Amino acid sequence: MTVNEEKPGLLSRLGRVGLPLPRTLTLEFLIMTLVLSLAVMVRLLPLRWGFYLSEFDPYFHYRAAEYITKNGFFSLASWHDMMGWYPYGRDVAKVYLPGLAMTVVFLYYLLNFIGISISLFNLCVIFPVIMAAVACVMIYLLGRYIGGREVGILAAFFLALNASYISRTSLGFFDDETIGVLGIMIVYYFFLKAVEEERKPKSTALYALGAGLTLGYVSASWGAVRYPIDLIALYVLALLLLRRYSSKLLLASIVTYATAFSIAVHVPKLGLGFLTEASNIPVYIVISLLILAELRRRFNISRKAPMILLGGTILLAIVVLLASLHGLIKLPAGKFVSVVLPFGRSQNPLLESVAEHKPSAWGNFYIDLGISVFLISLGIYFTTRDLTNKNLFLLIYGLTSLYFSASMIRLMLVAAPAFCLLSAFGVVKLLKPFFTELRELRGLPARRRFRAIRTGREYHLTAIILMFLLLTVNYAFPEPRLYLSAYTPTTIAAASLPVKLTITVPDWILALSWMRENLPADAVVVSWWDYGYWITTLGNRTTVVDNATFNATQIKNVALMFMSNETEAIKILKKYNATHVVVFTTFYEDGRDLGWGDEGKWMWMARIAGLNESRFGEYVQGGWRWNDLGKNTTIYKLMNYARSRWLGMPSASPKFFQLVYMSPGTTFMIGNRRCIILVCVYKVNYPT
């Protein structure tokens, strides 16, 4: 080697050793990196309005996580929280699933251990974004396993930009779904791997154990765990009906469910009663059928099989019936039953008053999914044409997701992975013939290739380009739903308004700060249940009702208090030793209701209290008109007095309530009309 020659670099030497990455793998890695970057950047858009937790439930999750860091990893089991549902409080372990709080605390300790210093609150704010990126990787693995590399990449891309999923994993949305959706996909991936025909029993048991552990983790984190539990049972039943039974099905099912249920019964909120919940009965029925199928296979009793199956089914039906009659089988919570039977929801005003419990109109699907509505249909079509075990699972997953998301609009989130997988599957199967033709053209002799290219290449390329143009339009023009979901302020930064303003609306933030700094430490605050978690967590004051809504009687009493006259309201407030009442109102500058505050919720208060709202007024052109009875209600007086004060109009002050705080009253325009928002705190003055 001469003086001027340079030594070969490390990369050159590695290349000589023969460690080049395949081009397809490199391209796959680069595409997934872009998809993950896109998923993260889209979900960080709410940063424009500040670094806050969003919605309401995330604030209690943060409180629970904070309690764990101060009192120990398993301290939730003994926490009796007296700052909510006063004067009784709540046994947190019996009403709260601890999985999310424990997960974020574990991550918090891990990050600080490796030298990444971050506050618990900041970690909770960015946690949904992190989990969304991990979920995109997981759906890539699941899609790749079901339909190949292309399906995996497209499914990850679709999930990264799915409007429903963005709305629940954007910055600050620290809720159960962030780990629930991810956990469900891991369960499906492990279970499908476990029941592969060529897999050895030991490997089947290991994958089933992974599925069971993950399912147990989801059961400790998210109430919607009932869906994957029954979906797997339905998938196994379908395989049985199609005569695709194998011993691996029995082994995988027993290991998965035994592991998951062993974890679930140790979650205090679920307990042993979870085993006898009606939603788990299909599991026991399917496992019993699997055992019968295994007995038939081992002892070669094919002639007697129909009689054995019929007898076993009748016996199971009798056992289930007797158990139901003796109260051994219980129904899950009402909101879970209402998903399966949505028409029964109208019998429960409290359940129906929650906006995300409404059924989905078909228009919601198109607004949410765009062109993917048609791609999902294609995916369903192609899965039915080639009904392999994997395609059968995807078909069942998609159809059940479609039903439940139509039943309750919130479950568009649960359906998002299924819709993304079906869309990706449909696109790949639709374009596969065109790509195949292009490859075949490349392999023809020169003369034949020249003739074929002139007639066929343009056609195939045009079809492919048109498909990707449709996808581009879906995600870029004119203003897709995904950007509306992502580029939106967190709920508290928008002061709970359903409009996107260019500024942070500080009224709730300022009101909660005032409560924290000025109300006595032993103050008991009454508001409508929507704002309970905010007042407890950010205002650091005790509340009577909050977003957990597990005590319907207490919520009914608060509703009745607001809909009663002051004399009756004081009697109800005295039962709870309430010291302050908070109301939230929005209105036009002429004083008329805007409808986004308590003036839009009082009708639900009336219904929950067992009253008919028509007693308090009537609809006229231009909105609601209160009658004398309505104007004498406590909720009307508290809202109207604050409005009048802000507008500078004369108004009689309430008899037993003293206005001690009124937010600045942020103003904004809707069309050419000026609107105002107020958060008001009243002190309760009991008569001597």
Side-chain angles (χ1 to χ4, degrees):
M1 181 180 291
T2 63
V3 177
N4 294 328
E5 288 179 338
E6 295 182 1
K7 292 183 179 181
L10 178 61
L11 291 176
S12 302
R13 281 181 282 174
L14 284 175
R16 291 176 187 175
V17 173
L19 296 174
L21 287 174
R23 283 191 300 174
T24 53
L25 185 60
T26 304
L27 183 61
E28 197 173 349
F29 175 78
L30 290 174
I31 293 173
M32 281 303 299
T33 302
L34 289 173
V35 168
L36 296 180
S37 301
L38 187 62
V40 170
M41 288 188 291
V42 164
R43 286 163 175 80
L44 290 176
L45 289 176
L47 269 174
R48 171 181 175 176
W49 291 274
F51 205 72
Y52 303 102
L53 290 173
S54 191
E55 290 293 332
F56 306 98
D57 290 358
Y59 284 90
F60 187 80
H61 292 306
Y62 167 68
R63 271 193 75 210
E66 187 180 41
Y67 188 87
I68 292 173
T69 59
K70 292 178 179 178
N71 299 280
F73 213 75
F74 298 101
S75 57
L76 290 184
S78 58
W79 182 22
H80 188 82
D81 178 25
M82 287 302 298
M83 290 192 69
W85 300 95
Y86 187 85
Y88 311 107
R90 70 179 129 213
D91 287 322
V92 174
K94 293 182 179 179
V95 297
Y96 178 70
L97 293 172
L100 178 63
M102 295 178 77
T103 300
V104 78
V105 170
F106 174 79
L107 183 59
Y108 169 72
Y109 285 145
L110 178 64
L111 290 175
N112 281 274
F113 176 76
I114 62 177
I116 301 176
S117 180
I118 185 172
S119 70
L120 180 64
F121 181 83
N122 289 346
L123 179 59
C124 290
V125 173
I126 65 171
F127 184 82
V129 181
I130 298 170
M131 290 298 103
V134 178
C136 288
V137 175
M138 191 61 238
I139 200 172
Y140 158 74
L141 294 174
L142 183 58
R144 179 173 178 170
Y145 176 71
I146 292 174
R149 179 185 295 112
E150 297 84 0
V151 172
I153 291 174
L154 273 176
F157 172 73
F158 289 148
L159 189 66
L161 297 180
N162 181 273
S164 294
Y165 192 58
I166 288 173
S167 68
R168 293 277 171 169
T169 53
S170 59
L171 189 77
F173 209 108
F174 178 60
D175 210 349
D176 298 329
E177 294 93 335
T178 54
I179 56 175
V181 172
L182 170 62
I184 285 175
M185 288 192 287
I186 296 173
V187 171
Y188 296 155
Y189 179 76
F190 279 146
F191 190 82
L192 289 175
K193 296 278 278 187
V195 297
E196 282 181 344
E197 293 181 5
E198 65 277 6
R199 193 166 297 283
K200 294 181 179 180
K202 184 178 179 180
S203 180
T204 292
L206 287 174
Y207 274 110
L209 181 63
L213 289 172
T214 311
L215 192 58
Y217 168 71
V218 176
S219 70
S221 309
W222 197 23
V225 70
R226 293 159 178 86
Y227 175 57
I229 286 174
D230 287 335
L231 179 66
I232 291 175
L234 182 60
Y235 170 61
V236 173
L237 178 62
L239 290 176
L240 275 174
L241 294 176
L242 292 173
R243 298 184 178 182
R244 298 181 186 179
Y245 172 78
S246 70
S247 299
K248 295 180 182 63
L249 268 181
L250 177 60
L251 175 61
S253 298
I254 289 177
V255 172
T256 297
Y257 285 119
T259 306
F261 288 173
S262 297
I263 296 172
V265 296
H266 287 89
V267 178
K269 183 179 178 180
L270 301 177
L272 288 171
F274 183 69
L275 297 178
T276 58
E277 195 175 277
S279 60
N280 291 327
I281 299 303
V283 174
Y284 306 138
I285 293 174
V286 167
I287 289 180
S288 300
L289 293 175
L290 287 172
I291 293 172
L292 288 174
E294 180 65 17
L295 291 174
R296 175 192 172 189
R297 186 187 69 83
R298 291 199 175 202
F299 298 105
N300 195 22
I301 49 176
S302 56
R303 290 184 179 180
K304 298 180 180 180
M307 294 300 297
I308 294 174
L309 183 61
L310 179 62
T313 304
I314 293 173
L315 180 62
L316 281 172
I318 292 172
V319 170
V320 171
L321 179 62
L322 290 175
S324 301
L325 292 174
H326 287 81
L328 298 177
I329 296 176
K330 63 176 185 177
L331 290 174
K335 65 180 179 181
F336 298 116
V337 176
S338 71
V339 172
V340 181
L341 304 170
F343 299 107
R345 203 174 298 152
S346 59
Q347 306 301 317
N348 188 338
L350 178 57
L351 189 64
E352 197 177 9
S353 68
V354 182
E356 62 186 19
H357 291 168
K358 301 289 185 184
S360 301
W362 284 108
N364 292 118
F365 283 95
Y366 184 74
I367 292 171
D368 204 75
L369 299 169
I371 193 67
S372 295
V373 169
F374 305 104
L375 300 180
I376 291 165
S377 304
L378 280 174
I380 292 172
Y381 168 72
F382 284 118
T383 54
T384 54
R385 282 192 61 185
D386 182 20
L387 210 57
T388 63
N389 287 357
K390 297 174 186 177
N391 291 355
L392 175 64
F393 172 81
L394 183 55
L395 178 65
I396 294 172
Y397 187 17
L399 292 178
T400 53
S401 295
L402 181 63
Y403 174 81
F404 292 130
S405 59
S407 173
M408 184 181 286
I409 196 167
R410 177 183 178 179
L411 297 184
M412 290 290 287
L413 165 79
V414 179
F419 290 165
C420 293
L421 286 167
L422 280 171
S423 299
F425 194 83
V427 170
V428 170
K429 290 295 182 181
L430 183 66
L431 295 182
K432 188 175 181 179
F434 299 108
F435 281 110
T436 303
E437 288 291 333
L438 287 174
R439 290 195 193 100
E440 290 178 357
L441 287 174
R442 200 183 310 165
L444 290 174
R447 289 185 179 180
R448 290 184 60 190
R449 184 167 67 243
F450 177 75
R451 294 173 187 169
I453 285 175
R454 293 188 63 182
T455 57
R457 187 173 184 179
E458 291 83 357
Y459 169 72
H460 300 307
L461 285 174
T462 301
I464 294 168
I465 291 169
L466 279 176
M467 174 56 69
F468 283 99
L469 281 175
L470 282 173
L471 292 176
T472 302
V473 169
N474 190 53
Y475 292 111
F477 303 103
E479 188 176 9
R481 166 92 160 81
L482 74 96
Y483 295 118
L484 295 177
S485 295
Y487 196 45
T488 302
T490 55
T491 308
I492 199 165
S496 196
L497 299 177
V499 291
K500 183 172 70 177
L501 303 177
T502 56
I503 59 169
T504 298
V505 183
D507 290 71
W508 265 110
I509 297 170
L510 294 174
L512 293 165
S513 177
W514 184 90
M515 286 184 234
R516 184 174 62 251
E517 295 171 3
N518 294 278
L519 290 186
D522 60 350
V524 177
V525 181
V526 174
S527 69
W528 191 230
W529 62 263
D530 290 33
Y531 324 118
Y533 282 159
W534 283 359
I535 295 170
T536 303
T537 305
L538 297 177
N540 197 29
R541 291 299 176 265
T542 301
T543 58
V544 173
V545 293
D546 62 31
N547 310 66
T549 65
F550 62 82
N551 188 335
T553 301
Q554 201 144 311
I555 292 176
K556 181 178 180 179
N557 287 340
V558 170
L560 187 60
M561 181 276 296
F562 277 123
M563 297 310 301
S564 301
N565 59 46
E566 287 192 67
T567 303
E568 295 301 318
I570 282 293
K571 295 177 183 177
I572 297 172
L573 290 170
K574 186 63 178 175
K575 293 179 182 178
Y576 300 106
N577 295 318
T579 61
H580 294 81
V581 175
V582 173
V583 293
F584 168 48
T585 183
T586 59
F587 53 97
Y588 295 105
E589 62 180 338
D590 60 4
R592 287 194 295 173
D593 292 343
L594 179 56
W596 293 338
D598 289 337
E599 74 281 355
K601 298 175 182 177
W602 73 264
M603 289 186 180
W604 289 112
M605 298 179 191
R607 293 171 190 172
I608 291 169
L611 306 173
N612 191 327
E613 65 265 25
S614 62
R615 292 176 52 196
F616 302 97
E618 61 181 346
Y619 279 107
V620 295
Q621 188 174 5
W624 178 263
R625 183 171 63 192
W626 296 86
N627 59 21
D628 291 340
L629 181 63
K631 291 179 180 179
N632 200 36
T633 59
T634 300
I635 187 66
Y636 176 84
K637 286 187 175 182
L638 299 185
M639 291 190 301
N640 188 62
Y641 179 70
R643 293 182 189 186
S644 300
R645 281 280 300 270
W646 196 91
L647 294 169
M649 298 167 57
S651 177
S653 60
K655 184 177 180 181
F656 299 120
F657 299 90
Q658 176 188 351
L659 182 63
V660 292
Y661 175 81
M662 184 169 68
S663 67
T666 301
T667 61
F668 54 96
M669 301 297 293
I670 296 181
N672 58 356
R673 303 182 71 181
R674 187 165 170 247
C675 307
I676 302 97
I677 172 176
L678 289 176
V679 181
C680 308
V681 182
Y682 286 87
K683 181 182 178 182
V684 181
N685 293 321
Y686 291 101
T688 56

